[in-house]
Amino acid sequence: MGGSRELSREEQQLRSRLEQTVRSAFYLAGQALEQIQTQKLYRSTHDNFESYCLDTFNFTRDYAYLKIGAARVYQNLLDNLPTNNLPSAFLPTKQGQLRPIVKAELRSVEQVLVWNNAVSMAVNRVPTSSVVAEAVRLYLRENQTPHNPFEVGEVCRIVARDVSSLKKYNGCWCMISELQDWECLVDTWETELVVPIENLESWGLDEEQHQQIFDIGVRMTSLYETGSLDDAAYWVLNGLAKLDRFYLSPVEEKLLRVLEQEYLDKSG
């Protein structure tokens, strides 16, 4: 690696001040992280910025760059919102409010437009992250050609992100039953949902794996349809709904069989 790894006294003091800033406000934190990155102030202890962030702040790579991205968007809004006659009181107050804009990789002018729309949707208040996410979705759907990458029958995981209505189902696996331009109609073990395509992650299963998870879903749905599940049964089934694999462990299989014996065998 080129250049000296040693920091001068001034650089070390600067690094200490910047590290303290990172632990405070999101805007200043993002600016501080970007300065540490661009000036390579991590070089005395780390070979790269990503490992430095993880060791020093316990920030993952994605989270560190999200902070930097949020600071850039904030600065852009700070510079350009006055020309849109929007009061400074409507500037973001939390990093999460800017996450949807950062993730969408909008251009500077689009960032201002979407934030303006979000403020309007929030009835002239600082919008929540969910409102900003909706403003981003509406903007993209008006300005991009629809492309749904999924297939009917595909098994996916629901990732709620900033969609409050999906929080209950975050991490749950589901099966796509219908494709729409920007959403998918999906089946979980207990209900049917309309989920935006950006809130779905494919499992990429082969035919045999797909059949295994499908069979598990059928068994879970059969239990739900008895209409007599108690809280303990729901607790078990909600846990199975968030499996990160296409098969049951021996203990999970035993638990599911106990529920089937309790609810299905008796009803039969």
Side-chain angles (χ1 to χ4, degrees), residues 17-190:
R17 291 198 304 272
L18 293 174
E19 288 177 350
Q20 180 56 39
T21 302
V22 169
R23 297 183 176 95
S24 58
F26 84 89
Y27 171 52
L28 296 178
Q31 286 187 316
L33 280 172
E34 186 166 25
Q35 191 171 353
I36 291 171
Q37 180 195 34
T38 55
Q39 295 186 27
K40 297 185 178 180
L41 297 178
Y42 54 80
R43 67 182 186 273
S44 63
T45 53
H46 292 78
D47 289 331
N48 56 69
F49 178 66
E50 290 78 8
S51 61
Y52 162 76
C53 286
L54 188 61
D55 291 343
T56 307
F57 308 111
N58 199 30
F59 291 169
T60 63
R61 179 187 185 281
D62 288 347
Y63 188 69
Y65 283 106
L66 172 61
K67 280 188 168 293
I68 292 174
R72 289 173 178 170
V73 174
Y74 186 95
Q75 185 63 57
N76 180 45
L77 297 179
L78 196 63
D79 292 341
N80 293 293
L81 281 180
T83 63
N84 291 276
N85 299 314
L86 194 66
S88 60
F90 295 146
L91 283 168
T93 56
K94 299 178 181 178
Q95 176 179 296
Q97 294 161 346
L98 294 177
R99 181 171 56 237
I101 294 177
V102 175
K103 294 294 185 182
E105 299 181 351
L106 301 177
R107 294 174 298 156
S108 296
V109 65
E110 293 175 319
Q111 294 170 6
V112 175
L113 178 60
V114 167
W115 182 259
N116 259 326
N117 292 343
V119 170
S120 297
M121 291 167 63
V123 194
N124 291 329
R125 296 180 181 177
V126 177
T128 64
S129 60
S130 295
V131 172
V132 178
E134 181 62 19
V136 169
R137 277 191 289 274
L138 291 174
Y139 177 80
L140 293 178
R141 293 177 188 191
E142 290 173 358
N143 294 275
Q144 291 185 356
T145 302
H147 172 63
N148 193 322
F150 298 103
E151 297 179 359
V152 172
E154 190 169 355
V155 177
C156 296
R157 183 176 305 283
I158 298 172
V159 185
R161 295 193 175 95
D162 298 291
V163 182
S164 57
S165 62
L166 294 178
K167 295 296 184 184
K168 174 183 176 182
Y169 303 99
N170 186 49
C172 290
W173 55 270
C174 62
M175 191 166 295
I176 295 175
S177 59
E178 182 181 320
L179 301 179
Q180 301 172 4
D181 285 345
W182 295 98
E183 295 95 7
C184 292
L185 192 64
V186 305
D187 293 319
T188 70
W189 70 280
E190 62 171 341

Side-chain angles (χ1 to χ4, degrees), residues 239-257:
L240 297 181
K242 296 190 177 184
L243 284 174
D244 57 0
R245 47 188 150 72
F246 57 88
Y247 58 89
L248 298 177
S249 71
V251 172
E252 290 164 345
E253 177 63 34
K254 288 179 181 178
L255 288 172
L256 188 54
R257 286 184 179 179

